[in-house]
Amino acid sequence: MLQEPISLRAHLVRNRRANEPCDPELIDILLDLSAAAKMISREVNRAGVGELCGAAGGTNATGDDQQKLDLYAHDLVVGTLRQTGSVCGIASEEDADLIAPSEAGYASNYVVCTDPLDGSSNIDVNVTIGTIFSVYRRKSLSGPATLDDFLRTGREQVAAGYFTYSASTMLVYTTGNGVAGFTLDQSTGQFLLSHAEIRTPARGRIYSCNEGNTSKWDEPTRKYVESLKRRNPETGRPYTARYVGSLVADFHRNLLRGGIFLYPADHSDPSGKPQGKLRLMYEANPIAMLIEQAGGAATDGEQPILDIQATDIHQRVPLIVGSRDDVEEYLSLL
Ligand code: AHM
Ligand code: MG
């Protein structure tokens, strides 16, 4: 008999029956996000002929130039979650403030954090971009979520994942019980299970970082990256360099193949407080939950990303993430 492909909905319902922490409300949120992603995917595929190419003319809360597609993706993700009332609050990289739910969301138990369009610099050149999300159970009892519902550690995430818009559109997600990947079947509009139980190799062969920033890194990080060009203990050959400049794309490749991604702190920062570029709540935390669930590790150089207590919804962190042995080796050199 022909094996039926497993749809995202079927996978989520099956996990719920298996007592995964995946209740009907959480399932609705993941299906809402996948509905928004399908629409973003459609616009990404016709970005060159549509009206969504180029800069929007403003900047976001952390000073990045906003592209038209950044705002389109933000409106779609936020609009979908507000319309269904599946969340009681949203934090987006593209909005300085917390976003209130629709009244229907007051009774929801969950908040969502999102980078609606990751890899903005790659939009106009047709290179892989994505949407990243993270879900927490609220601490407050009812009504719109409060800041305390968001300022937590990443360990408290109940779900995290991303969509990639590339040769195919994919969803990779976890609800804390392993990582699964789905590919969008454009003909039926369904996300179908294509990568069950993703595990990342314990030692990778790839390193990914913006080496144009070498002069801004601390000495141990510079030495570590130089050492990768000499010898991989597993292969005896140098590591391979791969860097797209979209976190979702770089992370996705390394997750499947094994490797290490680094966006270290900028030590040339005149404030004297070296920070990373990537955002804790929208990028680092969801990526860290995924990699830990796949057997890898994520650190800011001092502690696991998932143990960092958030103090600001837009805070930035250094992010070093990937295969367990590679991240441990990096830490041993610090
Ligand atoms: P964005 O969310 O505004 O697109 O910015 C984050 C992106 C990441 O996807 C990527 O890893 C990083 O910025 C690339 O930065 P750089 O161009 O400095 O290498
Ligand atoms: Mg991003």
Coordinates of all heavy atoms in Angstrom, one line a residue, residues 119-202:
G119 N 17.2 37.6 7.5 CA 18.0 37.6 6.3 C 17.7 38.7 5.3 O 17.8 38.6 4.1
S120 N 17.2 39.9 5.9 CA 16.7 41.0 5.1 C 17.6 41.4 4.0 O 17.2 41.8 2.9 CB 16.4 42.2 5.9 OG 15.6 41.8 7.0
S121 N 19.0 41.3 4.2 CA 19.9 41.8 3.2 C 19.9 40.9 2.0 O 20.5 41.3 0.9 CB 21.3 41.9 3.8 OG 21.8 40.6 4.1
N122 N 19.3 39.7 2.1 CA 19.3 38.8 1.0 C 18.0 38.8 0.2 O 17.8 38.1 -0.8 CB 19.5 37.4 1.5 CG 21.0 37.1 1.8 OD1 21.8 37.6 1.0 ND2 21.3 36.4 2.8
I123 N 17.0 39.7 0.6 CA 15.7 39.7 -0.1 C 15.9 40.0 -1.6 O 15.4 39.3 -2.4 CB 14.8 40.7 0.5 CG1 14.4 40.3 2.0 CG2 13.5 40.8 -0.3 CD1 13.6 41.4 2.7
D124 N 16.5 41.1 -1.9 CA 16.5 41.6 -3.2 C 17.5 40.9 -4.2 O 17.5 41.1 -5.4 CB 16.9 43.1 -3.3 CG 15.8 43.9 -2.7 OD1 14.7 43.4 -2.5 OD2 15.9 45.2 -2.5
V125 N 18.2 39.9 -3.6 CA 19.2 39.1 -4.5 C 18.8 37.7 -4.5 O 19.6 36.8 -4.9 CB 20.6 39.3 -4.0 CG1 21.1 40.7 -4.3 CG2 20.8 39.0 -2.5
N126 N 17.5 37.4 -4.1 CA 17.0 36.1 -4.3 C 17.7 34.9 -3.6 O 17.9 33.9 -4.1 CB 17.0 35.8 -5.8 CG 15.7 35.1 -6.2 OD1 15.0 34.6 -5.4 ND2 15.4 35.1 -7.5
V127 N 18.2 35.2 -2.4 CA 19.0 34.2 -1.6 C 18.1 33.9 -0.4 O 17.2 34.7 0.0 CB 20.3 34.8 -1.2 CG1 21.0 33.9 -0.2 CG2 21.2 35.1 -2.4
T128 N 18.2 32.6 0.1 CA 17.4 32.1 1.1 C 17.1 33.1 2.3 O 18.1 33.7 2.8 CB 18.0 30.8 1.7 OG1 18.1 29.9 0.6 CG2 17.1 30.2 2.8
I129 N 15.9 33.2 2.7 CA 15.5 34.0 3.8 C 14.5 33.2 4.7 O 14.2 32.1 4.3 CB 14.9 35.4 3.4 CG1 13.8 35.2 2.3 CG2 15.9 36.3 2.9 CD1 13.2 36.5 1.8
G130 N 14.0 33.7 5.8 CA 13.1 32.9 6.6 C 12.3 33.7 7.6 O 12.3 34.9 7.6
T131 N 11.5 32.9 8.4 CA 10.8 33.5 9.5 C 11.1 32.6 10.7 O 11.1 31.4 10.6 CB 9.2 33.3 9.2 OG1 8.9 34.1 8.1 CG2 8.4 33.8 10.4
I132 N 11.4 33.3 11.8 CA 11.8 32.5 13.1 C 10.7 32.8 14.1 O 10.2 33.9 14.2 CB 13.2 32.9 13.6 CG1 14.2 33.0 12.4 CG2 13.6 32.0 14.7 CD1 15.6 33.4 12.9
F133 N 10.4 31.8 14.9 CA 9.4 32.0 16.0 C 9.7 31.2 17.2 O 10.5 30.3 17.2 CB 8.0 31.6 15.5 CG 7.9 30.1 15.1 CD1 7.5 29.2 16.1 CD2 8.1 29.7 13.9 CE1 7.4 27.9 15.8 CE2 8.0 28.3 13.5 CZ 7.7 27.4 14.5
S134 N 9.1 31.7 18.3 CA 9.3 31.1 19.6 C 8.1 31.3 20.4 O 7.4 32.3 20.3 CB 10.5 31.9 20.2 OG 10.5 31.8 21.6
V135 N 7.7 30.3 21.2 CA 6.4 30.3 21.9 C 6.6 30.1 23.4 O 7.4 29.2 23.8 CB 5.4 29.3 21.4 CG1 4.0 29.5 22.1 CG2 5.3 29.3 19.9
Y136 N 6.0 30.9 24.3 CA 6.1 30.7 25.7 C 4.7 30.6 26.3 O 3.8 31.2 25.8 CB 6.7 31.9 26.4 CG 8.2 32.2 26.1 CD1 8.6 32.8 24.9 CD2 9.2 31.8 27.0 CE1 9.9 33.0 24.6 CE2 10.5 32.0 26.7 CZ 10.9 32.6 25.5 OH 12.2 32.8 25.2
R137 N 4.6 29.9 27.4 CA 3.3 29.8 28.1 C 3.3 31.1 29.0 O 4.3 31.4 29.6 CB 3.2 28.6 29.0 CG 1.9 28.1 29.2 CD 1.8 26.8 30.0 NE 0.5 26.7 30.5 CZ -0.6 26.2 29.9 NH1 -0.4 25.7 28.7 NH2 -1.8 26.2 30.4
R138 N 2.2 31.8 29.0 CA 2.1 33.0 29.8 C 2.2 32.8 31.3 O 1.9 31.7 31.8 CB 0.8 33.8 29.5 CG -0.4 33.1 30.2 CD -1.7 33.7 29.8 NE -1.8 35.2 30.1 CZ -2.7 36.0 29.6 NH1 -3.6 35.5 28.9 NH2 -2.7 37.3 29.9
K139 N 2.7 33.8 32.0 CA 2.7 33.7 33.5 C 1.5 34.4 34.1 O 1.0 34.0 35.1 CB 4.0 34.3 34.0 CG 5.3 33.5 33.7 CD 6.4 33.8 34.6 CE 7.1 35.1 34.2 NZ 8.4 35.4 34.9
S140 N 1.1 35.5 33.5 CA 0.0 36.3 33.9 C -1.3 35.4 33.7 O -1.2 34.5 33.0 CB -0.1 37.6 33.2 OG -0.2 37.3 31.8
L141 N -2.4 35.8 34.4 CA -3.5 34.9 34.4 C -4.5 35.1 33.2 O -5.0 34.2 32.7 CB -4.2 35.1 35.7 CG -3.4 34.6 36.9 CD1 -4.1 34.8 38.2 CD2 -2.9 33.2 36.8
S142 N -4.7 36.4 32.8 CA -5.7 36.6 31.7 C -5.5 38.0 31.2 O -4.6 38.8 31.7 CB -7.1 36.4 32.2 OG -7.4 37.4 33.2
G143 N -6.2 38.4 30.1 CA -6.1 39.7 29.5 C -4.8 39.7 28.6 O -4.2 38.7 28.4
P144 N -4.4 40.9 28.2 CA -3.2 41.0 27.3 C -2.0 40.6 28.1 O -1.9 40.9 29.3 CB -3.2 42.5 27.0 CG -4.5 43.1 27.3 CD -5.1 42.2 28.4
A145 N -1.0 40.0 27.5 CA 0.2 39.6 28.2 C 1.0 40.8 28.7 O 0.8 41.9 28.1 CB 1.1 38.8 27.2
T146 N 1.8 40.6 29.7 CA 2.6 41.7 30.2 C 4.1 41.5 29.9 O 4.4 40.4 29.4 CB 2.5 41.8 31.8 OG1 3.1 40.5 32.3 CG2 1.0 41.8 32.2
L147 N 4.9 42.5 30.1 CA 6.3 42.3 29.8 C 6.9 41.1 30.5 O 7.8 40.4 29.9 CB 7.1 43.6 30.2 CG 8.5 43.8 29.7 CD1 8.6 43.7 28.2 CD2 9.1 45.1 30.2
D148 N 6.5 40.8 31.7 CA 7.0 39.6 32.4 C 6.7 38.3 31.7 O 7.4 37.3 31.9 CB 6.3 39.6 33.8 CG 7.1 40.4 34.8 OD1 8.1 41.0 34.4 OD2 6.6 40.6 36.0
D149 N 5.7 38.3 30.9 CA 5.4 37.1 30.1 C 6.5 36.8 29.1 O 6.6 35.7 28.6 CB 4.0 37.2 29.5 CG 2.9 37.2 30.5 OD1 3.0 36.4 31.4 OD2 1.9 38.0 30.3
F150 N 7.2 37.9 28.7 CA 8.2 37.8 27.7 C 9.7 37.7 28.2 O 10.5 37.0 27.7 CB 8.2 39.0 26.7 CG 6.9 39.0 25.9 CD1 5.7 39.5 26.3 CD2 6.9 38.3 24.6 CE1 4.6 39.5 25.6 CE2 5.8 38.3 23.8 CZ 4.6 38.9 24.3
L151 N 9.9 38.4 29.3 CA 11.3 38.5 29.8 C 11.6 37.3 30.7 O 11.4 37.3 31.9 CB 11.5 39.8 30.6 CG 11.3 41.1 29.7 CD1 11.6 42.3 30.6 CD2 12.2 41.0 28.5
R152 N 12.0 36.2 30.1 CA 12.3 34.9 30.7 C 13.6 34.4 30.2 O 14.3 35.0 29.6 CB 11.2 33.9 30.3 CG 9.9 34.5 29.8 CD 8.9 34.4 30.8 NE 8.5 33.0 31.1 CZ 7.3 32.5 30.7 NH1 6.4 33.2 30.0 NH2 7.0 31.3 31.1
T153 N 13.9 33.1 30.5 CA 15.0 32.4 29.9 C 14.4 31.6 28.7 O 13.3 31.2 28.8 CB 15.7 31.5 30.9 OG1 14.8 30.4 31.2 CG2 16.2 32.2 32.1
G154 N 15.3 31.3 27.8 CA 14.9 30.5 26.6 C 14.5 29.1 27.0 O 13.8 28.4 26.3
R155 N 15.0 28.6 28.2 CA 14.6 27.3 28.7 C 13.1 27.1 28.8 O 12.6 26.0 28.8 CB 15.2 27.0 30.1 CG 16.6 26.8 30.1 CD 17.1 25.4 30.2 NE 18.5 25.4 30.1 CZ 19.2 24.9 29.0 NH1 18.5 24.2 28.1 NH2 20.5 25.0 28.9
E156 N 12.4 28.3 29.0 CA 11.0 28.2 29.2 C 10.2 28.2 28.0 O 8.9 28.2 28.0 CB 10.5 29.4 30.1 CG 11.1 29.4 31.5 CD 10.9 30.7 32.2 OE1 9.8 30.9 32.7 OE2 11.8 31.6 32.3
Q157 N 10.9 28.2 26.8 CA 10.1 28.1 25.5 C 9.4 26.8 25.5 O 9.9 25.8 25.9 CB 11.1 28.2 24.4 CG 11.7 29.5 24.2 CD 12.8 29.5 23.1 OE1 12.7 29.9 22.0 NE2 14.0 28.9 23.5
V158 N 8.1 26.8 25.0 CA 7.4 25.5 24.8 C 7.4 25.1 23.4 O 7.2 23.9 23.1 CB 6.0 25.6 25.3 CG1 5.9 25.8 26.8 CG2 5.2 26.7 24.6
A159 N 7.8 26.0 22.5 CA 8.0 25.6 21.0 C 8.8 26.6 20.4 O 8.9 27.8 20.8 CB 6.6 25.5 20.3
A160 N 9.5 26.2 19.3 CA 10.4 27.1 18.6 C 10.6 26.5 17.2 O 10.5 25.3 17.0 CB 11.7 27.3 19.3
G161 N 10.9 27.4 16.2 CA 11.1 26.9 14.9 C 11.4 28.0 13.9 O 11.5 29.2 14.2
Y162 N 11.5 27.6 12.6 CA 11.7 28.6 11.6 C 11.1 28.0 10.3 O 10.9 26.8 10.1 CB 13.2 28.9 11.4 CG 14.1 27.8 11.1 CD1 14.2 27.2 9.8 CD2 14.8 27.2 12.1 CE1 15.0 26.2 9.5 CE2 15.7 26.1 11.8 CZ 15.8 25.6 10.6 OH 16.6 24.6 10.3
F163 N 10.8 28.9 9.4 CA 10.5 28.6 8.0 C 11.6 29.1 7.1 O 12.2 30.2 7.4 CB 9.2 29.3 7.5 CG 8.0 28.9 8.4 CD1 7.7 29.6 9.5 CD2 7.2 27.8 8.0 CE1 6.6 29.2 10.3 CE2 6.1 27.5 8.7 CZ 5.8 28.1 9.9
T164 N 12.0 28.3 6.1 CA 13.0 28.9 5.1 C 12.3 29.0 3.8 O 11.5 28.1 3.4 CB 14.2 27.9 4.9 OG1 13.7 26.7 4.4 CG2 15.0 27.7 6.2
Y165 N 12.6 30.1 3.1 CA 12.0 30.4 1.8 C 13.2 30.3 0.8 O 14.0 31.1 0.7 CB 11.4 31.8 1.7 CG 10.4 32.0 2.9 CD1 10.7 33.0 3.8 CD2 9.3 31.2 3.0 CE1 9.9 33.2 4.9 CE2 8.4 31.4 4.1 CZ 8.7 32.4 5.1 OH 7.9 32.6 6.1
S166 N 13.2 29.1 0.1 CA 14.4 28.8 -0.7 C 13.9 28.1 -1.9 O 12.8 28.2 -2.4 CB 15.4 28.0 0.2 OG 16.6 27.8 -0.6
A167 N 14.8 27.2 -2.4 CA 14.3 26.3 -3.6 C 13.0 25.7 -3.2 O 12.1 25.5 -4.0 CB 15.4 25.3 -3.9
S168 N 12.9 25.2 -1.9 CA 11.6 24.8 -1.4 C 11.3 25.6 -0.1 O 12.3 26.2 0.4 CB 11.5 23.3 -1.2 OG 12.5 22.9 -0.3
T169 N 10.1 25.6 0.3 CA 9.8 26.3 1.6 C 9.7 25.2 2.6 O 9.0 24.2 2.4 CB 8.4 27.0 1.5 OG1 8.6 28.1 0.6 CG2 8.0 27.6 2.8
M170 N 10.4 25.4 3.7 CA 10.4 24.4 4.8 C 10.0 24.9 6.1 O 10.2 26.1 6.4 CB 11.8 23.8 4.9 CG 12.1 22.6 4.0 SD 13.6 21.7 4.5 CE 12.9 20.8 5.9
L171 N 9.5 24.1 7.0 CA 9.3 24.4 8.4 C 10.2 23.4 9.2 O 10.1 22.2 8.9 CB 7.8 24.2 8.8 CG 7.5 24.0 10.3 CD1 7.9 25.3 11.1 CD2 6.1 23.6 10.5
V172 N 10.9 23.9 10.2 CA 11.6 23.0 11.1 C 11.2 23.5 12.5 O 11.2 24.7 12.8 CB 13.2 23.2 11.0 CG1 13.9 22.4 12.0 CG2 13.6 22.7 9.6
Y173 N 10.7 22.6 13.3 CA 10.1 23.0 14.6 C 10.4 22.0 15.7 O 10.7 20.8 15.4 CB 8.6 23.3 14.5 CG 7.7 22.1 14.8 CD1 7.2 21.9 16.1 CD2 7.5 21.2 13.8 CE1 6.4 20.8 16.3 CE2 6.7 20.1 14.0 CZ 6.1 19.9 15.3 OH 5.3 18.8 15.5
T174 N 10.3 22.4 17.0 CA 10.4 21.5 18.1 C 9.3 22.0 19.1 O 9.1 23.2 19.3 CB 11.8 21.5 18.8 OG1 11.7 20.6 19.9 CG2 12.2 22.9 19.2
T175 N 8.8 21.0 19.8 CA 8.0 21.4 21.0 C 8.6 20.7 22.2 O 8.0 20.4 23.2 CB 6.5 20.9 20.9 OG1 6.5 19.5 20.5 CG2 5.7 21.7 19.9
G176 N 9.9 20.5 22.1 CA 10.7 20.0 23.3 C 10.8 18.5 23.3 O 11.2 17.9 24.3
N177 N 10.5 17.9 22.2 CA 10.6 16.4 22.1 C 11.2 16.0 20.8 O 10.6 15.3 20.0 CB 9.2 15.9 22.3 CG 9.3 14.4 22.5 OD1 10.3 13.8 22.8 ND2 8.1 13.7 22.4
G178 N 12.4 16.6 20.5 CA 13.0 16.3 19.2 C 12.7 17.4 18.1 O 11.9 18.3 18.4
V179 N 13.3 17.3 17.0 CA 13.1 18.3 15.9 C 12.6 17.6 14.7 O 13.1 16.5 14.3 CB 14.5 19.0 15.6 CG1 14.3 20.0 14.5 CG2 15.1 19.6 16.9
A180 N 11.6 18.2 14.0 CA 11.1 17.6 12.8 C 11.1 18.7 11.7 O 10.9 19.9 11.9 CB 9.7 17.1 13.0
G181 N 11.2 18.3 10.4 CA 11.2 19.2 9.3 C 10.1 18.8 8.3 O 9.9 17.6 8.0
F182 N 9.5 19.8 7.8 CA 8.4 19.7 6.8 C 8.7 20.5 5.6 O 9.2 21.6 5.7 CB 7.1 20.2 7.4 CG 6.6 19.3 8.6 CD1 7.2 19.5 9.8 CD2 5.6 18.4 8.5 CE1 6.9 18.7 10.9 CE2 5.2 17.6 9.5 CZ 5.9 17.8 10.8
T183 N 8.3 20.0 4.4 CA 8.5 20.7 3.2 C 7.1 21.0 2.6 O 6.2 20.2 2.6 CB 9.3 19.8 2.2 OG1 10.5 19.5 2.8 CG2 9.5 20.6 0.9
L184 N 7.0 22.3 2.1 CA 5.7 22.7 1.6 C 5.5 22.1 0.2 O 6.3 22.3 -0.7 CB 5.7 24.3 1.5 CG 4.4 24.9 1.0 CD1 3.2 24.6 1.8 CD2 4.5 26.4 0.8
D185 N 4.4 21.4 0.1 CA 4.0 20.9 -1.3 C 3.2 22.0 -1.9 O 2.0 22.2 -1.5 CB 3.2 19.6 -1.1 CG 2.7 19.0 -2.4 OD1 2.7 19.8 -3.4 OD2 2.3 17.9 -2.4
Q186 N 3.8 22.7 -2.9 CA 3.2 23.8 -3.4 C 1.9 23.5 -4.1 O 0.9 24.3 -4.2 CB 4.1 24.5 -4.5 CG 5.4 25.0 -3.9 CD 5.3 26.3 -3.1 OE1 4.2 26.9 -3.0 NE2 6.4 26.8 -2.6
S187 N 1.7 22.2 -4.6 CA 0.5 21.9 -5.4 C -0.7 21.7 -4.5 O -1.8 22.0 -4.9 CB 0.8 20.6 -6.2 OG 1.1 19.5 -5.3
T188 N -0.5 21.3 -3.2 CA -1.6 21.1 -2.3 C -1.6 22.1 -1.2 O -2.6 22.2 -0.5 CB -1.6 19.7 -1.7 OG1 -0.4 19.6 -0.9 CG2 -1.6 18.6 -2.7
G189 N -0.5 22.9 -1.1 CA -0.5 23.9 0.0 C -0.3 23.3 1.4 O -0.6 23.9 2.4
Q190 N 0.2 22.0 1.4 CA 0.4 21.4 2.7 C 1.9 21.2 3.1 O 2.7 20.9 2.2 CB -0.2 20.0 2.7 CG -1.7 19.9 2.7 CD -2.1 18.5 3.1 OE1 -2.3 18.2 4.3 NE2 -2.2 17.6 2.1
F191 N 2.2 21.4 4.4 CA 3.5 21.1 4.8 C 3.5 19.6 5.1 O 2.7 19.1 5.9 CB 3.8 21.9 6.1 CG 4.3 23.3 5.9 CD1 3.4 24.4 6.0 CD2 5.6 23.5 5.5 CE1 3.9 25.7 5.7 CE2 6.1 24.8 5.2 CZ 5.2 25.9 5.4
L192 N 4.4 18.9 4.5 CA 4.5 17.4 4.6 C 5.8 17.0 5.3 O 6.9 17.6 5.0 CB 4.4 16.7 3.3 CG 3.1 17.1 2.5 CD1 3.2 16.4 1.1 CD2 1.9 16.6 3.3
L193 N 5.7 16.0 6.2 CA 6.9 15.6 6.9 C 8.0 15.1 6.0 O 7.7 14.1 5.2 CB 6.5 14.5 7.9 CG 7.7 14.0 8.8 CD1 8.2 15.1 9.8 CD2 7.2 12.7 9.6
S194 N 9.2 15.7 6.0 CA 10.2 15.3 5.1 C 11.5 15.0 5.8 O 12.4 14.3 5.4 CB 10.6 16.4 4.1 OG 10.8 17.7 4.7
H195 N 11.6 15.5 7.1 CA 12.8 15.2 7.9 C 12.4 14.8 9.3 O 12.2 15.7 10.2 CB 13.7 16.5 8.0 CG 14.2 16.9 6.6 ND1 13.4 17.4 5.6 CD2 15.5 17.0 6.2 CE1 14.2 17.7 4.6 NE2 15.4 17.5 4.9
A196 N 12.2 13.6 9.5 CA 11.7 13.1 10.9 C 12.9 13.0 11.8 O 14.0 12.7 11.4 CB 11.1 11.8 10.8
E197 N 12.7 13.4 13.1 CA 13.8 13.2 14.1 C 15.1 13.7 13.7 O 16.1 12.9 13.6 CB 13.8 11.8 14.6 CG 12.5 11.4 15.2 CD 12.4 9.9 15.5 OE1 13.4 9.3 15.8 OE2 11.3 9.3 15.5
I198 N 15.3 15.0 13.4 CA 16.6 15.5 13.0 C 17.6 15.5 14.1 O 17.3 16.0 15.2 CB 16.4 17.0 12.5 CG1 15.4 17.0 11.3 CG2 17.7 17.6 12.2 CD1 15.1 18.4 10.8
R199 N 18.7 15.0 13.9 CA 19.9 15.0 14.8 C 21.0 15.7 14.1 O 21.2 15.4 12.9 CB 20.3 13.6 15.3 CG 19.2 12.8 15.9 CD 18.8 13.3 17.3 NE 19.9 13.2 18.3 CZ 19.8 13.8 19.5 NH1 18.8 14.5 19.8 NH2 20.8 13.7 20.3
T200 N 21.8 16.5 14.8 CA 22.9 17.1 14.2 C 24.2 16.3 14.5 O 24.3 15.8 15.7 CB 23.1 18.6 14.6 OG1 23.8 19.3 13.6 CG2 23.7 18.8 16.0
P201 N 25.2 16.1 13.6 CA 26.4 15.3 13.9 C 27.1 15.9 15.2 O 27.1 17.2 15.4 CB 27.2 15.5 12.7 CG 26.3 15.8 11.6 CD 25.2 16.6 12.2
A202 N 27.7 15.1 16.0 CA 28.4 15.6 17.2 C 29.6 16.4 16.8 O 30.0 17.4 17.5 CB 28.9 14.4 18.0

